[in-house]
Amino acid sequence: MTAKFSILRTVTGTVAVVAALGLVGCESMDHRTRNTAAGAAIGGVAGSVLTGGSAAGTIGGAAVGGVIGNQTGK
């Protein structure tokens, strides 16, 4: 395992944990909004991992994940 991969994996795991903890404070959100936020967080992490940490991949993943989360919350 290379050092770059190890750092990327650590950062991705940290982002996922922070996103999950951030969603704990979303009690006042309705179901659809919560799904949108969760989808964006998961999509951002997935986009980052799949594109090797590129900003465009992270933002694109967050956007797609947010849309999917929003639509599943209907």
Side-chain angles (χ1 to χ4, degrees), residues 15-67:
V15 169
V17 168
V18 169
L21 290 175
L23 291 174
V24 170
C26 298
E27 285 184 37
S28 63
M29 289 184 178
D30 66 348
H31 185 67
R32 189 170 187 183
T33 304
R34 196 173 317 130
N35 282 352
T36 303
I42 293 167
V45 171
S48 176
V49 170
L50 292 174
T51 61
S54 79
T58 303
I59 293 168
V64 171
V67 169

